[in-house]
Amino acid sequence: DTAVSQTPKYLVTQMGNDKSIKCEQNLGHDTMYWYKQDSKKFLKIMFSYNNKELIINETVPNRFSPKSPDKAHLNLHINSLELGDSAVYFCASSPVEVTGELFFGEGSRLTVL
Amino acid sequence: AQSVTQLGSHVSVSEGALVLLRCNYSSSVPPYLFWYVQYPNQGLQLLLKYTSAATLVKGINGFEAEFKKSETSFHLTKPSAHMSDAAEYFCAVSLSGTYKYIFGTGTRLKVLA
């Protein structure tokens, strides 16, 4: 059983399109995250939800909209895709205590042409 | 604000040699520190974490790290490198009372036969 699963694993799309990435965790964690990893492997936090409530919203364009229908799911929708959005997007989850580790999905590689 | 600096974006060692990956943190309060490993086309997985219980932390795959408050460092070591250790390594910090994890820029470890 995959602990944190993301779909799709690969997306290739044209500029201006809209795309979504889904994430599900079966660990029973209360907190979920979206991270963006660029071509230089730099990891930047985008959003975090705790029990369906948005708790971290970094400086991310409004074109990115997270949605958490329940605490086991956190989806990411991206409108009007731009070339600079090409990256690997990682979903992660963690237990409520902040000393807990992050559990990462395998990533979704988005390529915008 | 807390931050993490990893010295050396690329490190090469011979198989069987000592591995030393450097991480320095900046934090006004006691931090929680983590090392993660990322293998190609995979998500990150935890190697070890420091949460103030002991300054020398042992992790998986023979890795360990020592928390040195006076040097604000949390360097990762392994006595003898194995070919399978070749990967990207990330140091990360989180602050008590927050859900925010900040990652360093990563160090790519290459193991030479």
Side-chain angles (χ1 to χ4, degrees):
Chain A
D1 265 357
T2 304
V4 181
S5 58
Q6 300 178 225
T7 55
K9 194 166 183 177
Y10 299 96
L11 302 94
V12 181
T13 189
Q14 300 287 331
M15 278 175 53
N17 284 350
D18 303 340
K19 287 294 178 186
S20 292
I21 307 171
K22 295 186 176 181
C23 179
E24 175 181 4
Q25 55 97 1
N26 62 7
L27 298 167
H29 291 163
D30 289 319
T31 311
M32 295 184 73
Y33 305 77
W34 278 112
Y35 278 85
K36 178 181 179 182
Q37 186 175 49
D38 63 23
S39 58
K40 294 184 179 179
K41 300 290 186 181
F42 181 62
L43 270 164
K44 184 173 169 25
I45 188 167
M46 300 174 70
F47 302 102
S48 178
Y49 274 75
N50 179 258
N51 256 325
K52 302 193 296 177
E53 181 185 343
L54 182 66
I55 54 171
I56 295 175
N57 185 354
E58 291 295 288
T59 314
V60 177
N62 291 339
R63 299 182 294 102
F64 290 79
S65 51
K67 189 169 183 181
S68 182
D70 55 62
K71 75 173 193 175
H73 295 84
L74 179 62
N75 303 323
L76 182 66
H77 187 75
I78 316 170
N79 290 324
S80 304
L81 279 156
E82 299 177 358
L83 293 176
D85 298 331
S86 295
V88 181
Y89 292 85
F90 284 100
C91 177
S93 71
S94 70
V96 65
E97 64 273 13
V98 293
T99 58
E101 67 185 272
L102 289 171
F103 289 78
F104 283 84
E106 292 200 338
S108 297
R109 182 178 293 275
L110 171 65
T111 302
V112 182
L113 303 175
Chain B
Q2 76 277 26
S3 65
V4 171
T5 302
Q6 289 184 241
L7 295 174
S9 58
H10 292 81
V11 170
S12 293
V13 300
S14 298
E15 192 173 21
L18 172 72
V19 176
L20 171 61
L21 304 182
R22 299 176 189 274
C23 173
N24 288 86
Y25 70 91
S26 170
S27 175
S28 58
V29 296
Y32 299 110
L33 295 159
F34 306 81
W35 274 100
Y36 287 84
V37 61
Q38 184 181 27
Y39 298 104
N41 299 315
Q42 293 187 25
L44 283 73
Q45 57 182 275
L46 184 75
L47 274 177
L48 48 82
K49 64 181 180 182
Y50 166 76
T51 56
S52 76
T55 57
L56 183 61
V57 181
K58 293 188 184 298
I60 62 170
N61 301 338
F63 284 94
E64 62 181 38
E66 186 172 8
F67 173 72
K68 291 187 177 180
K69 186 177 178 181
S70 60
E71 298 176 10
T72 61
S73 68
F74 190 57
H75 300 333
L76 181 71
T77 60
K78 181 174 179 177
S80 177
H82 192 273
M83 297 297 287
S84 60
D85 295 328
E88 192 89 23
Y89 290 81
F90 293 91
C91 184
V93 63
S94 72
L95 276 190
S96 174
T98 78
Y99 292 93
K100 205 167 179 180
Y101 295 75
I102 305 298
F103 284 83
T105 49
T107 298
R108 177 161 292 182
L109 176 66
K110 188 174 180 179
V111 181
L112 308 170

